[in-house]
Amino acid sequence: MGECGGSEYRCWEELLPDALGLVFRNLPLQEVLTVVPRVCKSWGRVVSGPYCWQQIDIEEWSLQKQSQPEQLVRMVEMLLRRSAGSCRRLSVSGLPTRALRTLEIPRSEISDAVVETVAPRLPNLTFLDISSCTKIGARALEAFGSHCRNLVGLRRVMHPIDVAGRNACHQHDEARAIARTMPRLRHLEVGYMLVTTEAILEVLARCRDLEFVDLRGCWAVDERFLQERHPGLNFLGPGVDDCFENSYWEECSDDDDDDDVYSWELMDDDEYYAVVGSDDDDEAVWDDGQGIENLEVRFYGGGFNESYAGFDWPASP
């Protein structure tokens, strides 16, 4: 790399990691993994981080590894680890999914139809995380339960915004789908789902191996009644002091008699503020003698999407 002071050189190593990731993903897989990291430390950090792996396309490479399924699985596992949960697309050929035991796809855009197609290929699945997957429902849960007979752990935790204004009957159907098709469950998390005590009792009656149930934010569930009926079970919630504690939602409601606990109409923008540290702490940030030359600022989300940018700029991890 040349000196940045001269106009004839460009400081490629100082590009934002997101921009470098866009460039590197156009290179062959072997070069990204073996050549780019040796150019400089900043490029090596980009390749080892999530910036290159928001879209993982190794279909061409995987076609050459059909006779080496173990190596193919190791490659996919490594790249998914590097993506740090930011992967939006995975293109691979011949992946032996029958050996898959853990599937974690929170906030995914998958649909019921997709799950019904994929679930039969996952017979050995033991743990499933489909938290905040808002486009699936009871159909998807029945498909997973019917085909993944070894399932012992299910995480279906929602965000309060995910369920605001939704019909509670749909999530009661999800609870009943769990009860009917997942009898071997030992660990269940259904935080903030709109379920009732009756629905949870049905799950407990059919999933007799359950050891732990996370009910945080399930305000329609009678915690004391469940503990009396099932004293040997470990329950978490519904009444747990966390960032979505029940009393907070009650304070935000514009009608004490309104059945919808997720009322937003009285929440003013002026109420959202946070004080981090004191004024002395703020001044100390700038007392290191370095000014703001080395300050790196990144904006995640917001209004600057692809339609504004005019080109394919992936969301920052």
Side-chain angles (χ1 to χ4, degrees):
M1 297 291 176
E3 295 293 334
C4 295
S7 59
E8 59 180 307
Y9 296 108
R10 294 179 182 270
C11 298
W12 296 106
E13 74 275 15
E14 293 186 3
L15 279 175
L16 286 174
D18 305 72
L20 287 171
L22 277 176
V23 175
F24 294 157
R25 79 180 189 186
N26 294 310
L27 298 175
L29 178 66
Q30 184 174 355
E31 291 187 13
V32 174
L33 294 177
T34 61
V35 178
V36 172
R38 300 180 182 180
V39 175
C40 63
K41 292 182 178 179
S42 62
W43 285 20
R45 286 193 294 269
V46 171
V47 172
S48 62
Y51 308 100
C52 290
W53 313 114
Q54 295 180 9
Q55 297 190 39
I56 301 175
D57 186 352
I58 58 172
E59 185 170 2
E60 182 177 350
W61 177 85
S62 61
L63 288 172
Q64 305 170 10
K65 302 295 180 180
Q66 297 299 300
S67 60
Q68 300 172 292
E70 296 84 2
Q71 185 176 355
L72 181 58
V73 170
R74 287 199 302 271
M75 176 64 76
V76 172
E77 289 177 346
M78 180 190 73
L79 297 183
L80 288 176
R81 281 197 304 270
R82 291 190 178 190
S83 74
S86 66
C87 181
R88 299 182 301 169
R89 174 174 174 263
L90 173 62
S91 180
V92 58
S93 177
L95 186 66
T97 56
R98 297 185 67 85
L100 189 66
R101 296 184 179 276
T102 299
L103 178 62
E104 300 179 29
I105 49 174
R107 299 176 299 280
S108 172
E109 296 292 320
I110 59 171
S111 64
D112 289 331
V114 170
V115 171
E116 289 172 339
T117 301
V118 173
R121 307 176 189 176
L122 306 170
N124 294 315
L125 204 64
T126 60
F127 180 82
L128 174 65
D129 183 357
I130 47 175
S131 299
S132 292
C133 294
T134 57
K135 295 186 178 181
I136 62 175
R139 279 176 54 194
L141 286 166
E142 284 189 12
F144 277 125
S146 299
H147 297 285
C148 309
R149 305 303 298 177
N150 296 318
L151 204 60
V152 296
L154 173 65
R155 181 179 295 140
R156 177 65 168 152
V157 178
M158 307 300 286
H159 189 283
I161 295 177
D162 296 334
V163 297
R166 297 186 66 177
N167 190 339
C169 293
H170 292 211
Q171 299 208 315
H172 292 170
D173 291 341
E174 291 189 23
R176 294 187 178 98
I178 293 171
R180 288 195 303 267
T181 64
M182 303 180 185
R184 296 186 179 182
L185 282 181
R186 295 201 299 265
H187 183 104
L188 175 63
E189 300 180 29
V190 290
Y192 296 95
M193 287 184 63
L194 303 179
V195 293
T196 62
T197 304
E198 180 184 359
I200 296 300
L201 285 174
E202 185 174 349
V203 172
L204 299 179
R206 301 203 181 190
C207 304
R208 298 182 178 275
D209 294 334
L210 272 172
E211 301 171 357
F212 173 82
V213 182
D214 183 350
L215 297 169
R216 286 176 295 177
C218 300
W219 309 121
V221 174
D222 188 335
E223 178 182 4
R224 181 176 299 179
F225 181 76
L226 290 180
Q227 290 178 340
E228 291 176 353
R229 289 284 298 270
H230 300 273
L233 263 177
N234 186 9
F235 292 101
L236 179 60
V240 175
D241 290 331
D242 59 13
C243 58
F244 306 122
E245 208 278 330
N246 191 17
S247 61
Y248 173 78
W249 294 110
E250 291 175 351
E251 292 172 2
C252 295
S253 176
D254 61 346
D255 187 353
D256 293 338
D257 297 328
D258 192 355
D259 291 334
D260 183 7
V261 298
Y262 306 114
S263 180
W264 307 91
E265 296 180 5
L266 291 185
M267 300 178 72
D268 299 326
D269 292 338
D270 294 339
E271 295 178 0
Y272 290 94
Y273 63 91
V275 179
V276 182
S278 63
D279 295 338
D280 295 337
D281 295 332
D282 295 337
E283 293 177 1
V285 174
W286 309 105
D287 289 339
D288 57 1
Q290 297 182 6
I292 63 173
E293 288 80 2
N294 296 322
L295 179 65
E296 182 176 357
V297 180
R298 301 181 191 171
F299 298 91
Y300 298 134
F304 293 94
N305 54 30
E306 295 177 6
S307 61
Y308 289 94
F311 50 83
D312 181 20
W313 191 278
S316 297

